Amino acid sequence: MKQYIALDIGGTKFMVASFTENLLEIKRVKYNTPEDFHEGIDLLNKMINEVSNKDRIGGIGAAIGGPLDAVRGIVSPLHQRQWRNIPLKDIMEEKWECPFYVDVDTNVAALGEYHLGKYGHEKFLYITLSTGMGGGYIIDGKVYRGFNGNHPEVGHQTINFRCRYPEKVQCECGSPDCIEALVSGNAIKRIYGKPAEELNDDEWSEVIYNLGQGLRNIATIMTPDIIVFGGGIAFGAGEPFLQKIEAEMKRQLTLVKPPQLALSKLGYDTAIAGAAYIAKNGF
Ligand SMILES: [Zn+2]
């Protein structure tokens, strides 16, 4: 028997879990992310020891913030300042003597949702709406990668937006009029001065309108079969939210058939599930 190890390496929390050969979870642990890089690597190794049993480790998969080089396994997560050009694949393969795969957290989450959620759609887009807005596009069960290994940045499309405070619309990427700068958790706090769950109906209707414009672009240009939403904002708002953004998306979608919209089946476990999937199957 082999076991597989999944790492969710986040800017505030590390989560590590062990899985059986059938990708059933055995044990998981969670710790705060240390500031120091060496402490970070030591902590990951300690966490792997903590969750693993006596069986041989068949592979390790990891989800981490971008940017990164998935082929060489070199990572520079934006929100972990000391982690710059880290050869994480080499470090982990030498230490644990098994294959190691790492990809951007949104791609890994998309793989987890698609494979462990058992969807089977040909063109499957996963969008996370939490502090930021990102996504992973799965085509025929594999992560779609464009030029230079880039994945589509659905949060950084410009839209014709509605906002009562246009001067507060500033994207962290530096470009103007990005949808992420209007609908993400950080954007909502910057624009309206409060978290999403405290928005009044008028403010919320701006968010719905803006998201609807983004979905209309996505449906028109990427033509996915289904768009699945995860992340705290999407979950917090739930099914009524989904129905409203669907209506807004469809309102002016004239030339293509609207994709199905759904909330994630795996909830907050998409990244760890996806990390387990790549630990076993690679890319
Ligand atoms: Zn942007």
Side-chain angles (χ1 to χ4, degrees):
M1 287 290 279
K2 285 186 211 162
Q3 61 181 327
Y4 293 92
I5 305 294
L7 317 178
D8 183 357
I9 305 172
T12 53
K13 292 261 194 290
F14 284 174
M15 186 147 66
V16 173
S18 52
F19 286 79
T20 66
E21 269 176 314
N22 297 323
L23 297 186
L24 299 172
E25 189 173 320
I26 304 167
K27 185 178 178 185
R28 75 163 75 181
V29 290
K30 205 170 167 181
Y31 288 93
N32 290 329
T33 304
E35 185 78 33
D36 183 74
F37 162 69
H38 295 283
E39 270 179 51
I41 295 291
D42 289 348
L43 177 60
L44 285 176
N45 287 331
K46 178 180 158 262
M47 291 169 81
I48 295 172
N49 271 321
E50 232 180 298
V51 298
S52 50
N53 55 33
K54 296 268 183 290
D55 295 336
R56 190 160 72 79
I57 296 177
I60 303 175
I64 193 167
L68 58 76
D69 176 335
V71 176
R72 293 190 294 158
I74 296 175
V75 304
S76 307
L78 205 58
H79 299 293
Q80 286 156 258
R81 255 173 273 158
Q82 290 191 18
W83 291 53
R84 287 296 169 268
N85 296 313
I86 304 299
L88 193 59
K89 184 177 173 70
D90 289 348
I91 292 171
M92 297 311 257
E93 287 188 345
E94 192 181 313
K95 164 82 183 166
W96 294 99
E97 299 177 334
C98 69
F100 177 87
Y101 302 96
V102 61
D103 202 352
V104 181
D105 42 17
T106 50
N107 279 345
V108 176
L111 280 172
E113 181 71 25
Y114 179 81
H115 287 288
L116 279 74
K118 301 191 186 339
Y119 284 83
H121 296 72
E122 239 172 75
K123 294 173 292 301
F124 173 95
L125 180 66
Y126 177 79
I127 293 181
T128 175
L129 196 57
S130 54
T131 52
M133 176 181 177
Y137 199 17
I138 306 292
I139 298 183
D140 295 331
K142 286 194 166 16
V143 172
Y144 169 81
R145 295 179 207 276
F147 177 56
N148 201 29
N150 289 336
H151 73 149
E153 291 285 359
V154 293
H156 300 276
Q157 54 172 311
T158 60
I159 55 161
N160 189 6
F161 63 86
R162 280 184 194 161
C163 180
R164 64 198 59 200
Y165 308 111
E167 71 283 2
K168 293 187 183 172
V169 180
Q170 294 159 11
C171 193
E172 282 153 37
C173 81
S175 296
D177 307 339
C178 287
I179 189 173
E180 180 178 271
L182 290 145
V183 304
S184 70
N186 284 349
I188 288 172
K189 267 188 211 137
R190 187 185 307 113
I191 294 169
Y192 304 103
K194 52 188 159 184
E197 61 270 22
E198 290 172 20
L199 294 181
N200 65 38
D201 287 350
D202 286 347
E203 293 161 341
W204 195 234
S205 72
E206 291 185 346
V207 174
I208 300 284
Y209 175 86
N210 292 333
L211 255 175
Q213 305 314 303
L215 292 179
R216 178 183 152 205
N217 288 342
I218 287 170
T220 305
I221 296 168
M222 300 169 76
T223 58
D225 301 324
I226 182 170
I227 303 174
V228 176
F229 284 89
I233 298 212
F235 269 117
E239 284 295 336
F241 157 82
L242 210 60
Q243 286 166 17
K244 284 181 192 155
I245 57 173
E246 183 167 27
E248 187 56 48
M249 170 185 75
K250 284 178 175 171
R251 202 167 54 82
Q252 292 180 312
L253 189 65
T254 50
L255 297 180
V256 300
K257 196 165 178 268
Q260 184 190 339
L261 303 190
L263 286 173
S264 156
K265 295 178 189 172
L266 302 187
Y268 293 99
D269 286 341
T270 48
I272 203 84
Y277 177 82
I278 59 173
K280 183 177 173 189
N281 301 288
F283 293 130

